[in-house]
Amino acid sequence: MEEKLTQEPNNLIKVVLFGPESTGKTTLSKQLAEHYNTVWAPEFAREYLQKKWNKEQKTCEAKDLLPIAIGQMKLENTLAQKANKILICDTDLLETKVYSEAYYGGFVDEQLDKAAKNNSYDLYLLTYIDIPWEADEIRDKPDLRKEMFSAFEDALKSHNCNYILLKGDKQTRLHTATKAIDELLVGVNNLQCKANNE
């Protein structure tokens, strides 16, 4: 089970879109993948929970979190093999952990907690709640956006994650994100040049 929650090793720069629901993560994931001519890993939970709703008219339950986490990592590891230098992730297991704590009284499956701590990413793009809420059959906390945003930012701080905050319209967010990613790319290229010269 543990290996199903583990990142497969690669030399990619891994960037995560991170934040409450309906804050533009998927839109920006697609924009970034197109900008860098690479692939993006969608949020497995969306498909999983939509199927659950269509079949049972039920939203997410605590028992769903581990299958969601396993599905997410399978998706990420598969798409990493197709990525071009950068992998854009629409979510990660730390996000699943935040939702678990918020929705189920602080409960987090031990395996999910361990994987969320062990898997690593180069940059988190924390999406602010200044984008209008868009309702659907799965989203359910429009009145708790500030609280959820705080929970996401607290998680990044407590796990010592490298992150920047994204605010503003789509173009502003894309510009801020690409500037930060370009800096990572320059750093990687400098390290490779140094290694080649030694």
Side-chain angles (χ1 to χ4, degrees):
M1 178 70 73
E2 191 172 312
E3 66 275 7
K4 292 181 178 180
L5 294 170
T6 303
Q7 285 173 323
E8 293 174 2
N10 56 61
N11 293 320
L12 298 168
I13 289 175
K14 295 182 289 294
V15 178
V16 182
L17 279 292
F18 196 78
E21 53 191 9
S22 195
T23 54
K25 297 188 296 292
T26 300
T27 298
L28 187 54
S29 293
K30 293 175 183 176
Q31 289 177 311
L32 289 169
E34 184 177 344
H35 181 85
Y36 290 105
N37 190 30
T38 189
V39 297
W40 64 286
E43 187 180 14
F44 179 79
R46 296 289 302 172
E47 181 183 348
Y48 178 98
L49 293 174
Q50 189 64 57
K51 286 179 180 176
K52 181 182 175 82
W53 176 262
N54 293 345
K55 188 177 179 182
E56 307 172 39
Q57 272 68 59
K58 288 183 179 178
T59 54
C60 190
E61 300 170 273
K63 67 180 182 180
D64 294 315
L65 294 174
L66 209 50
I68 285 171
I70 290 168
Q72 189 65 47
M73 285 315 304
K74 183 179 180 183
L75 197 56
E76 181 182 318
N77 286 329
T78 299
L79 288 165
Q81 297 171 20
K82 302 175 182 178
N84 173 28
K85 297 182 182 176
I86 302 169
L87 178 65
I88 308 297
C89 301
D90 195 5
T91 188
D92 76 335
L93 299 193
L94 182 56
E95 181 150 329
T96 308
K97 177 184 173 181
V98 172
Y99 276 118
S100 182
E101 290 171 336
Y103 279 65
Y104 306 109
F107 166 79
V108 181
D109 181 276
E110 188 177 328
Q111 295 171 88
L112 171 58
D113 186 46
K114 184 177 180 183
K117 290 173 181 173
N118 290 342
N119 290 347
S120 65
Y121 299 87
D122 299 283
L123 178 65
Y124 282 82
L125 304 175
L126 176 62
T127 51
Y128 194 58
I129 53 174
D130 55 349
I131 287 179
W133 173 271
E134 289 185 19
D136 64 21
E137 293 167 332
I138 299 171
R139 294 172 175 162
D140 65 351
K141 293 204 182 296
D143 300 326
L144 295 175
R145 297 186 88 193
K146 286 184 180 178
E147 291 84 350
M148 289 303 297
F149 176 81
S150 294
F152 278 102
E153 186 163 34
D154 289 346
L156 291 175
K157 289 177 178 176
S158 66
H159 287 77
N160 295 314
C161 298
N162 179 34
Y163 78 96
I164 61 167
L165 177 62
L166 297 183
K167 290 183 173 183
D169 61 21
K170 290 177 186 177
Q171 282 308 115
T172 301
R173 289 176 178 222
L174 180 62
H175 175 75
T176 305
T178 53
K179 184 179 176 186
I181 295 169
D182 288 347
E183 288 174 6
L184 284 177
L185 283 168
V186 168
V188 168
N189 288 337
N190 287 343
L191 282 174
Q192 288 174 343
C193 288
K194 186 177 179 183
N196 292 337
N197 291 329
E198 287 177 354

PDB file of all heavy atoms in Angstrom, residues 124-157:
ATOM      1  N   TYR A 124       5.017  25.333  -4.630  1.00  0.00           N
ATOM      2  CA  TYR A 124       3.564  25.343  -4.474  1.00  0.00           C
ATOM      3  C   TYR A 124       3.041  26.710  -4.878  1.00  0.00           C
ATOM      4  O   TYR A 124       3.589  27.741  -4.475  1.00  0.00           O
ATOM      5  CB  TYR A 124       3.176  25.071  -3.016  1.00  0.00           C
ATOM      6  CG  TYR A 124       3.256  23.619  -2.606  1.00  0.00           C
ATOM      7  CD1 TYR A 124       4.470  23.047  -2.232  1.00  0.00           C
ATOM      8  CD2 TYR A 124       2.116  22.820  -2.569  1.00  0.00           C
ATOM      9  CE1 TYR A 124       4.554  21.715  -1.857  1.00  0.00           C
ATOM     10  CE2 TYR A 124       2.186  21.488  -2.191  1.00  0.00           C
ATOM     11  CZ  TYR A 124       3.393  20.947  -1.838  1.00  0.00           C
ATOM     12  OH  TYR A 124       3.475  19.637  -1.466  1.00  0.00           O
ATOM     13  N   LEU A 125       1.974  26.710  -5.662  1.00  0.00           N
ATOM     14  CA  LEU A 125       1.295  27.939  -6.056  1.00  0.00           C
ATOM     15  C   LEU A 125      -0.016  27.997  -5.283  1.00  0.00           C
ATOM     16  O   LEU A 125      -0.973  27.297  -5.604  1.00  0.00           O
ATOM     17  CB  LEU A 125       1.042  27.941  -7.565  1.00  0.00           C
ATOM     18  CG  LEU A 125       2.281  27.766  -8.444  1.00  0.00           C
ATOM     19  CD1 LEU A 125       1.889  27.648  -9.916  1.00  0.00           C
ATOM     20  CD2 LEU A 125       3.273  28.912  -8.245  1.00  0.00           C
ATOM     21  N   LEU A 126      -0.029  28.799  -4.231  1.00  0.00           N
ATOM     22  CA  LEU A 126      -1.190  28.896  -3.347  1.00  0.00           C
ATOM     23  C   LEU A 126      -2.199  29.878  -3.940  1.00  0.00           C
ATOM     24  O   LEU A 126      -1.915  31.069  -4.082  1.00  0.00           O
ATOM     25  CB  LEU A 126      -0.739  29.345  -1.955  1.00  0.00           C
ATOM     26  CG  LEU A 126      -1.830  29.584  -0.915  1.00  0.00           C
ATOM     27  CD1 LEU A 126      -2.621  28.296  -0.624  1.00  0.00           C
ATOM     28  CD2 LEU A 126      -1.216  30.134   0.386  1.00  0.00           C
ATOM     29  N   THR A 127      -3.371  29.378  -4.289  1.00  0.00           N
ATOM     30  CA  THR A 127      -4.378  30.197  -4.974  1.00  0.00           C
ATOM     31  C   THR A 127      -5.320  30.858  -3.971  1.00  0.00           C
ATOM     32  O   THR A 127      -5.941  30.191  -3.149  1.00  0.00           O
ATOM     33  CB  THR A 127      -5.185  29.347  -5.968  1.00  0.00           C
ATOM     34  OG1 THR A 127      -5.670  28.164  -5.306  1.00  0.00           O
ATOM     35  CG2 THR A 127      -4.319  28.921  -7.148  1.00  0.00           C
ATOM     36  N   TYR A 128      -5.414  32.173  -4.086  1.00  0.00           N
ATOM     37  CA  TYR A 128      -6.230  32.951  -3.152  1.00  0.00           C
ATOM     38  C   TYR A 128      -7.712  32.886  -3.540  1.00  0.00           C
ATOM     39  O   TYR A 128      -8.080  32.485  -4.642  1.00  0.00           O
ATOM     40  CB  TYR A 128      -5.734  34.401  -3.099  1.00  0.00           C
ATOM     41  CG  TYR A 128      -6.307  35.174  -1.927  1.00  0.00           C
ATOM     42  CD1 TYR A 128      -6.112  34.724  -0.620  1.00  0.00           C
ATOM     43  CD2 TYR A 128      -7.053  36.320  -2.135  1.00  0.00           C
ATOM     44  CE1 TYR A 128      -6.637  35.411   0.450  1.00  0.00           C
ATOM     45  CE2 TYR A 128      -7.595  37.015  -1.063  1.00  0.00           C
ATOM     46  CZ  TYR A 128      -7.387  36.555   0.224  1.00  0.00           C
ATOM     47  OH  TYR A 128      -7.930  37.233   1.286  1.00  0.00           O
ATOM     48  N   ILE A 129      -8.557  33.334  -2.627  1.00  0.00           N
ATOM     49  CA  ILE A 129     -10.013  33.209  -2.782  1.00  0.00           C
ATOM     50  C   ILE A 129     -10.639  34.462  -3.395  1.00  0.00           C
ATOM     51  O   ILE A 129     -11.805  34.765  -3.139  1.00  0.00           O
ATOM     52  CB  ILE A 129     -10.686  32.884  -1.424  1.00  0.00           C
ATOM     53  CG1 ILE A 129     -10.260  33.904  -0.354  1.00  0.00           C
ATOM     54  CG2 ILE A 129     -10.327  31.477  -0.980  1.00  0.00           C
ATOM     55  CD1 ILE A 129     -10.987  33.761   0.973  1.00  0.00           C
ATOM     56  N   ASP A 130      -9.864  35.174  -4.230  1.00  0.00           N
ATOM     57  CA  ASP A 130     -10.414  36.371  -4.866  1.00  0.00           C
ATOM     58  C   ASP A 130     -11.037  36.074  -6.234  1.00  0.00           C
ATOM     59  O   ASP A 130     -11.305  36.974  -7.021  1.00  0.00           O
ATOM     60  CB  ASP A 130      -9.337  37.463  -4.994  1.00  0.00           C
ATOM     61  CG  ASP A 130      -8.087  36.989  -5.714  1.00  0.00           C
ATOM     62  OD1 ASP A 130      -7.948  35.769  -5.941  1.00  0.00           O
ATOM     63  OD2 ASP A 130      -7.243  37.838  -6.054  1.00  0.00           O
ATOM     64  N   ILE A 131     -11.264  34.798  -6.517  1.00  0.00           N
ATOM     65  CA  ILE A 131     -11.993  34.380  -7.720  1.00  0.00           C
ATOM     66  C   ILE A 131     -13.406  33.985  -7.286  1.00  0.00           C
ATOM     67  O   ILE A 131     -13.574  33.302  -6.270  1.00  0.00           O
ATOM     68  CB  ILE A 131     -11.277  33.182  -8.382  1.00  0.00           C
ATOM     69  CG1 ILE A 131      -9.994  33.674  -9.065  1.00  0.00           C
ATOM     70  CG2 ILE A 131     -12.177  32.476  -9.386  1.00  0.00           C
ATOM     71  CD1 ILE A 131      -9.198  32.589  -9.733  1.00  0.00           C
ATOM     72  N   PRO A 132     -14.435  34.403  -8.026  1.00  0.00           N
ATOM     73  CA  PRO A 132     -15.813  34.084  -7.627  1.00  0.00           C
ATOM     74  C   PRO A 132     -16.053  32.580  -7.509  1.00  0.00           C
ATOM     75  O   PRO A 132     -15.521  31.790  -8.279  1.00  0.00           O
ATOM     76  CB  PRO A 132     -16.657  34.674  -8.776  1.00  0.00           C
ATOM     77  CG  PRO A 132     -15.802  35.714  -9.389  1.00  0.00           C
ATOM     78  CD  PRO A 132     -14.386  35.243  -9.240  1.00  0.00           C
ATOM     79  N   TRP A 133     -16.852  32.232  -6.498  1.00  0.00           N
ATOM     80  CA  TRP A 133     -17.221  30.836  -6.260  1.00  0.00           C
ATOM     81  C   TRP A 133     -18.082  30.323  -7.410  1.00  0.00           C
ATOM     82  O   TRP A 133     -19.006  30.987  -7.857  1.00  0.00           O
ATOM     83  CB  TRP A 133     -17.999  30.732  -4.951  1.00  0.00           C
ATOM     84  CG  TRP A 133     -18.584  29.383  -4.677  1.00  0.00           C
ATOM     85  CD1 TRP A 133     -19.806  28.911  -5.060  1.00  0.00           C
ATOM     86  CD2 TRP A 133     -17.969  28.315  -3.957  1.00  0.00           C
ATOM     87  NE1 TRP A 133     -19.989  27.623  -4.629  1.00  0.00           N
ATOM     88  CE2 TRP A 133     -18.872  27.235  -3.940  1.00  0.00           C
ATOM     89  CE3 TRP A 133     -16.740  28.182  -3.304  1.00  0.00           C
ATOM     90  CZ2 TRP A 133     -18.587  26.029  -3.303  1.00  0.00           C
ATOM     91  CZ3 TRP A 133     -16.459  26.984  -2.669  1.00  0.00           C
ATOM     92  CH2 TRP A 133     -17.372  25.923  -2.676  1.00  0.00           C
ATOM     93  N   GLU A 134     -17.753  29.116  -7.900  1.00  0.00           N
ATOM     94  CA  GLU A 134     -18.579  28.458  -8.913  1.00  0.00           C
ATOM     95  C   GLU A 134     -19.090  27.149  -8.333  1.00  0.00           C
ATOM     96  O   GLU A 134     -18.314  26.247  -8.054  1.00  0.00           O
ATOM     97  CB  GLU A 134     -17.767  28.188 -10.188  1.00  0.00           C
ATOM     98  CG  GLU A 134     -17.435  29.449 -10.963  1.00  0.00           C
ATOM     99  CD  GLU A 134     -16.744  29.150 -12.290  1.00  0.00           C
ATOM    100  OE1 GLU A 134     -16.838  28.000 -12.766  1.00  0.00           O
ATOM    101  OE2 GLU A 134     -16.116  30.068 -12.825  1.00  0.00           O
ATOM    102  N   ALA A 135     -20.387  27.069  -8.150  1.00  0.00           N
ATOM    103  CA  ALA A 135     -20.995  25.888  -7.529  1.00  0.00           C
ATOM    104  C   ALA A 135     -21.054  24.716  -8.504  1.00  0.00           C
ATOM    105  O   ALA A 135     -21.154  24.900  -9.710  1.00  0.00           O
ATOM    106  CB  ALA A 135     -22.393  26.224  -7.048  1.00  0.00           C
ATOM    107  N   ASP A 136     -20.961  23.507  -7.962  1.00  0.00           N
ATOM    108  CA  ASP A 136     -21.267  22.293  -8.713  1.00  0.00           C
ATOM    109  C   ASP A 136     -21.746  21.243  -7.722  1.00  0.00           C
ATOM    110  O   ASP A 136     -21.951  21.545  -6.542  1.00  0.00           O
ATOM    111  CB  ASP A 136     -20.074  21.815  -9.555  1.00  0.00           C
ATOM    112  CG  ASP A 136     -18.864  21.397  -8.723  1.00  0.00           C
ATOM    113  OD1 ASP A 136     -19.028  21.097  -7.525  1.00  0.00           O
ATOM    114  OD2 ASP A 136     -17.752  21.353  -9.273  1.00  0.00           O
ATOM    115  N   GLU A 137     -21.908  20.000  -8.174  1.00  0.00           N
ATOM    116  CA  GLU A 137     -22.480  18.955  -7.313  1.00  0.00           C
ATOM    117  C   GLU A 137     -21.520  18.495  -6.226  1.00  0.00           C
ATOM    118  O   GLU A 137     -21.936  17.873  -5.247  1.00  0.00           O
ATOM    119  CB  GLU A 137     -22.890  17.755  -8.177  1.00  0.00           C
ATOM    120  CG  GLU A 137     -24.036  18.065  -9.114  1.00  0.00           C
ATOM    121  CD  GLU A 137     -24.238  17.006 -10.182  1.00  0.00           C
ATOM    122  OE1 GLU A 137     -23.255  16.329 -10.557  1.00  0.00           O
ATOM    123  OE2 GLU A 137     -25.377  16.866 -10.649  1.00  0.00           O
ATOM    124  N   ILE A 138     -20.244  18.805  -6.377  1.00  0.00           N
ATOM    125  CA  ILE A 138     -19.235  18.318  -5.428  1.00  0.00           C
ATOM    126  C   ILE A 138     -18.789  19.396  -4.448  1.00  0.00           C
ATOM    127  O   ILE A 138     -18.564  19.129  -3.273  1.00  0.00           O
ATOM    128  CB  ILE A 138     -18.026  17.744  -6.195  1.00  0.00           C
ATOM    129  CG1 ILE A 138     -18.480  16.563  -7.060  1.00  0.00           C
ATOM    130  CG2 ILE A 138     -16.927  17.310  -5.241  1.00  0.00           C
ATOM    131  CD1 ILE A 138     -17.422  16.061  -8.010  1.00  0.00           C
ATOM    132  N   ARG A 139     -18.674  20.618  -4.908  1.00  0.00           N
ATOM    133  CA  ARG A 139     -18.219  21.709  -4.025  1.00  0.00           C
ATOM    134  C   ARG A 139     -19.290  22.015  -2.990  1.00  0.00           C
ATOM    135  O   ARG A 139     -20.472  22.065  -3.312  1.00  0.00           O
ATOM    136  CB  ARG A 139     -17.917  22.955  -4.852  1.00  0.00           C
ATOM    137  CG  ARG A 139     -16.739  22.768  -5.773  1.00  0.00           C
ATOM    138  CD  ARG A 139     -16.579  23.925  -6.725  1.00  0.00           C
ATOM    139  NE  ARG A 139     -15.373  23.784  -7.537  1.00  0.00           N
ATOM    140  CZ  ARG A 139     -15.148  24.447  -8.660  1.00  0.00           C
ATOM    141  NH1 ARG A 139     -16.030  25.314  -9.097  1.00  0.00           N
ATOM    142  NH2 ARG A 139     -14.039  24.247  -9.337  1.00  0.00           N
ATOM    143  N   ASP A 140     -18.839  22.284  -1.738  1.00  0.00           N
ATOM    144  CA  ASP A 140     -19.863  22.383  -0.694  1.00  0.00           C
ATOM    145  C   ASP A 140     -19.571  23.346   0.456  1.00  0.00           C
ATOM    146  O   ASP A 140     -20.272  23.340   1.453  1.00  0.00           O
ATOM    147  CB  ASP A 140     -20.139  20.988  -0.113  1.00  0.00           C
ATOM    148  CG  ASP A 140     -18.925  20.410   0.608  1.00  0.00           C
ATOM    149  OD1 ASP A 140     -17.834  21.000   0.516  1.00  0.00           O
ATOM    150  OD2 ASP A 140     -19.075  19.370   1.260  1.00  0.00           O
ATOM    151  N   LYS A 141     -18.530  24.168   0.354  1.00  0.00           N
ATOM    152  CA  LYS A 141     -18.251  25.052   1.491  1.00  0.00           C
ATOM    153  C   LYS A 141     -18.024  26.508   1.048  1.00  0.00           C
ATOM    154  O   LYS A 141     -16.990  27.107   1.358  1.00  0.00           O
ATOM    155  CB  LYS A 141     -17.034  24.543   2.272  1.00  0.00           C
ATOM    156  CG  LYS A 141     -17.296  23.207   2.973  1.00  0.00           C
ATOM    157  CD  LYS A 141     -16.373  23.010   4.137  1.00  0.00           C
ATOM    158  CE  LYS A 141     -16.580  21.676   4.819  1.00  0.00           C
ATOM    159  NZ  LYS A 141     -17.878  21.509   5.421  1.00  0.00           N
ATOM    160  N   PRO A 142     -18.998  27.104   0.375  1.00  0.00           N
ATOM    161  CA  PRO A 142     -18.796  28.486  -0.086  1.00  0.00           C
ATOM    162  C   PRO A 142     -18.677  29.494   1.050  1.00  0.00           C
ATOM    163  O   PRO A 142     -18.071  30.556   0.867  1.00  0.00           O
ATOM    164  CB  PRO A 142     -20.051  28.759  -0.930  1.00  0.00           C
ATOM    165  CG  PRO A 142     -21.068  27.799  -0.418  1.00  0.00           C
ATOM    166  CD  PRO A 142     -20.307  26.581  -0.012  1.00  0.00           C
ATOM    167  N   ASP A 143     -19.219  29.166   2.218  1.00  0.00           N
ATOM    168  CA  ASP A 143     -19.189  30.105   3.337  1.00  0.00           C
ATOM    169  C   ASP A 143     -17.939  29.983   4.198  1.00  0.00           C
ATOM    170  O   ASP A 143     -17.762  30.753   5.148  1.00  0.00           O
ATOM    171  CB  ASP A 143     -20.430  29.904   4.223  1.00  0.00           C
ATOM    172  CG  ASP A 143     -21.728  30.125   3.449  1.00  0.00           C
ATOM    173  OD1 ASP A 143     -21.728  30.994   2.552  1.00  0.00           O
ATOM    174  OD2 ASP A 143     -22.707  29.420   3.715  1.00  0.00           O
ATOM    175  N   LEU A 144     -17.089  29.017   3.878  1.00  0.00           N
ATOM    176  CA  LEU A 144     -15.893  28.782   4.702  1.00  0.00           C
ATOM    177  C   LEU A 144     -14.611  28.979   3.893  1.00  0.00           C
ATOM    178  O   LEU A 144     -13.588  28.371   4.189  1.00  0.00           O
ATOM    179  CB  LEU A 144     -15.929  27.369   5.297  1.00  0.00           C
ATOM    180  CG  LEU A 144     -17.043  27.085   6.289  1.00  0.00           C
ATOM    181  CD1 LEU A 144     -17.033  25.622   6.703  1.00  0.00           C
ATOM    182  CD2 LEU A 144     -16.905  27.973   7.522  1.00  0.00           C
ATOM    183  N   ARG A 145     -14.668  29.836   2.887  1.00  0.00           N
ATOM    184  CA  ARG A 145     -13.498  30.005   2.016  1.00  0.00           C
ATOM    185  C   ARG A 145     -12.299  30.567   2.765  1.00  0.00           C
ATOM    186  O   ARG A 145     -11.170  30.125   2.561  1.00  0.00           O
ATOM    187  CB  ARG A 145     -13.856  30.903   0.822  1.00  0.00           C
ATOM    188  CG  ARG A 145     -14.923  30.307  -0.076  1.00  0.00           C
ATOM    189  CD  ARG A 145     -15.137  31.151  -1.318  1.00  0.00           C
ATOM    190  NE  ARG A 145     -14.214  30.743  -2.373  1.00  0.00           N
ATOM    191  CZ  ARG A 145     -13.992  31.449  -3.476  1.00  0.00           C
ATOM    192  NH1 ARG A 145     -14.604  32.609  -3.655  1.00  0.00           N
ATOM    193  NH2 ARG A 145     -13.158  31.023  -4.398  1.00  0.00           N
ATOM    194  N   LYS A 146     -12.524  31.549   3.639  1.00  0.00           N
ATOM    195  CA  LYS A 146     -11.407  32.139   4.391  1.00  0.00           C
ATOM    196  C   LYS A 146     -10.772  31.107   5.316  1.00  0.00           C
ATOM    197  O   LYS A 146      -9.543  31.008   5.421  1.00  0.00           O
ATOM    198  CB  LYS A 146     -11.878  33.347   5.198  1.00  0.00           C
ATOM    199  CG  LYS A 146     -12.148  34.575   4.338  1.00  0.00           C
ATOM    200  CD  LYS A 146     -12.526  35.770   5.185  1.00  0.00           C
ATOM    201  CE  LYS A 146     -12.784  37.000   4.311  1.00  0.00           C
ATOM    202  NZ  LYS A 146     -13.205  38.168   5.096  1.00  0.00           N
ATOM    203  N   GLU A 147     -11.626  30.346   6.001  1.00  0.00           N
ATOM    204  CA  GLU A 147     -11.119  29.327   6.924  1.00  0.00           C
ATOM    205  C   GLU A 147     -10.323  28.256   6.174  1.00  0.00           C
ATOM    206  O   GLU A 147      -9.265  27.810   6.619  1.00  0.00           O
ATOM    207  CB  GLU A 147     -12.275  28.675   7.694  1.00  0.00           C
ATOM    208  CG  GLU A 147     -12.960  29.595   8.700  1.00  0.00           C
ATOM    209  CD  GLU A 147     -14.032  30.499   8.081  1.00  0.00           C
ATOM    210  OE1 GLU A 147     -14.133  30.563   6.833  1.00  0.00           O
ATOM    211  OE2 GLU A 147     -14.758  31.129   8.854  1.00  0.00           O
ATOM    212  N   MET A 148     -10.854  27.838   5.021  1.00  0.00           N
ATOM    213  CA  MET A 148     -10.161  26.813   4.239  1.00  0.00           C
ATOM    214  C   MET A 148      -8.838  27.348   3.689  1.00  0.00           C
ATOM    215  O   MET A 148      -7.821  26.650   3.702  1.00  0.00           O
ATOM    216  CB  MET A 148     -11.049  26.310   3.102  1.00  0.00           C
ATOM    217  CG  MET A 148     -12.225  25.461   3.560  1.00  0.00           C
ATOM    218  SD  MET A 148     -11.743  24.001   4.537  1.00  0.00           S
ATOM    219  CE  MET A 148     -10.793  23.073   3.332  1.00  0.00           C
ATOM    220  N   PHE A 149      -8.845  28.594   3.230  1.00  0.00           N
ATOM    221  CA  PHE A 149      -7.592  29.177   2.731  1.00  0.00           C
ATOM    222  C   PHE A 149      -6.540  29.187   3.839  1.00  0.00           C
ATOM    223  O   PHE A 149      -5.381  28.824   3.609  1.00  0.00           O
ATOM    224  CB  PHE A 149      -7.806  30.601   2.210  1.00  0.00           C
ATOM    225  CG  PHE A 149      -6.524  31.250   1.785  1.00  0.00           C
ATOM    226  CD1 PHE A 149      -5.978  30.978   0.539  1.00  0.00           C
ATOM    227  CD2 PHE A 149      -5.836  32.096   2.645  1.00  0.00           C
ATOM    228  CE1 PHE A 149      -4.768  31.546   0.158  1.00  0.00           C
ATOM    229  CE2 PHE A 149      -4.632  32.671   2.263  1.00  0.00           C
ATOM    230  CZ  PHE A 149      -4.095  32.393   1.019  1.00  0.00           C
ATOM    231  N   SER A 150      -6.937  29.580   5.043  1.00  0.00           N
ATOM    232  CA  SER A 150      -5.999  29.598   6.174  1.00  0.00           C
ATOM    233  C   SER A 150      -5.459  28.206   6.463  1.00  0.00           C
ATOM    234  O   SER A 150      -4.264  28.035   6.757  1.00  0.00           O
ATOM    235  CB  SER A 150      -6.685  30.162   7.421  1.00  0.00           C
ATOM    236  OG  SER A 150      -7.012  31.518   7.229  1.00  0.00           O
ATOM    237  N   ALA A 151      -6.326  27.196   6.355  1.00  0.00           N
ATOM    238  CA  ALA A 151      -5.889  25.818   6.598  1.00  0.00           C
ATOM    239  C   ALA A 151      -4.848  25.387   5.572  1.00  0.00           C
ATOM    240  O   ALA A 151      -3.862  24.718   5.904  1.00  0.00           O
ATOM    241  CB  ALA A 151      -7.094  24.874   6.549  1.00  0.00           C
ATOM    242  N   PHE A 152      -5.051  25.783   4.321  1.00  0.00           N
ATOM    243  CA  PHE A 152      -4.087  25.439   3.277  1.00  0.00           C
ATOM    244  C   PHE A 152      -2.750  26.148   3.490  1.00  0.00           C
ATOM    245  O   PHE A 152      -1.691  25.533   3.378  1.00  0.00           O
ATOM    246  CB  PHE A 152      -4.659  25.782   1.898  1.00  0.00           C
ATOM    247  CG  PHE A 152      -5.583  24.729   1.370  1.00  0.00           C
ATOM    248  CD1 PHE A 152      -6.958  24.899   1.415  1.00  0.00           C
ATOM    249  CD2 PHE A 152      -5.087  23.552   0.845  1.00  0.00           C
ATOM    250  CE1 PHE A 152      -7.809  23.926   0.943  1.00  0.00           C
ATOM    251  CE2 PHE A 152      -5.926  22.566   0.361  1.00  0.00           C
ATOM    252  CZ  PHE A 152      -7.293  22.749   0.413  1.00  0.00           C
ATOM    253  N   GLU A 153      -2.799  27.430   3.798  1.00  0.00           N
ATOM    254  CA  GLU A 153      -1.544  28.157   4.006  1.00  0.00           C
ATOM    255  C   GLU A 153      -0.820  27.632   5.249  1.00  0.00           C
ATOM    256  O   GLU A 153       0.412  27.486   5.239  1.00  0.00           O
ATOM    257  CB  GLU A 153      -1.786  29.658   4.127  1.00  0.00           C
ATOM    258  CG  GLU A 153      -0.488  30.441   4.194  1.00  0.00           C
ATOM    259  CD  GLU A 153      -0.642  31.914   3.908  1.00  0.00           C
ATOM    260  OE1 GLU A 153      -1.694  32.489   4.263  1.00  0.00           O
ATOM    261  OE2 GLU A 153       0.295  32.503   3.335  1.00  0.00           O
ATOM    262  N   ASP A 154      -1.557  27.325   6.306  1.00  0.00           N
ATOM    263  CA  ASP A 154      -0.945  26.779   7.522  1.00  0.00           C
ATOM    264  C   ASP A 154      -0.231  25.454   7.228  1.00  0.00           C
ATOM    265  O   ASP A 154       0.847  25.177   7.780  1.00  0.00           O
ATOM    266  CB  ASP A 154      -1.990  26.570   8.613  1.00  0.00           C
ATOM    267  CG  ASP A 154      -2.506  27.888   9.195  1.00  0.00           C
ATOM    268  OD1 ASP A 154      -1.867  28.938   8.940  1.00  0.00           O
ATOM    269  OD2 ASP A 154      -3.546  27.866   9.889  1.00  0.00           O
ATOM    270  N   ALA A 155      -0.838  24.636   6.363  1.00  0.00           N
ATOM    271  CA  ALA A 155      -0.233  23.345   6.013  1.00  0.00           C
ATOM    272  C   ALA A 155       1.095  23.548   5.292  1.00  0.00           C
ATOM    273  O   ALA A 155       2.081  22.855   5.570  1.00  0.00           O
ATOM    274  CB  ALA A 155      -1.188  22.538   5.141  1.00  0.00           C
ATOM    275  N   LEU A 156       1.144  24.507   4.384  1.00  0.00           N
ATOM    276  CA  LEU A 156       2.391  24.788   3.667  1.00  0.00           C
ATOM    277  C   LEU A 156       3.479  25.263   4.625  1.00  0.00           C
ATOM    278  O   LEU A 156       4.647  24.859   4.516  1.00  0.00           O
ATOM    279  CB  LEU A 156       2.156  25.843   2.587  1.00  0.00           C
ATOM    280  CG  LEU A 156       1.292  25.413   1.399  1.00  0.00           C
ATOM    281  CD1 LEU A 156       1.037  26.592   0.478  1.00  0.00           C
ATOM    282  CD2 LEU A 156       1.942  24.263   0.636  1.00  0.00           C
ATOM    283  N   LYS A 157       3.100  26.114   5.556  1.00  0.00           N
ATOM    284  CA  LYS A 157       4.065  26.629   6.527  1.00  0.00           C
ATOM    285  C   LYS A 157       4.556  25.527   7.456  1.00  0.00           C
ATOM    286  O   LYS A 157       5.767  25.416   7.709  1.00  0.00           O
ATOM    287  CB  LYS A 157       3.437  27.764   7.336  1.00  0.00           C
ATOM    288  CG  LYS A 157       3.228  29.039   6.525  1.00  0.00           C
ATOM    289  CD  LYS A 157       2.526  30.111   7.345  1.00  0.00           C
ATOM    290  CE  LYS A 157       2.352  31.398   6.552  1.00  0.00           C
ATOM    291  NZ  LYS A 157       1.596  32.425   7.297  1.00  0.00           N
TER     292      LYS A 157
END
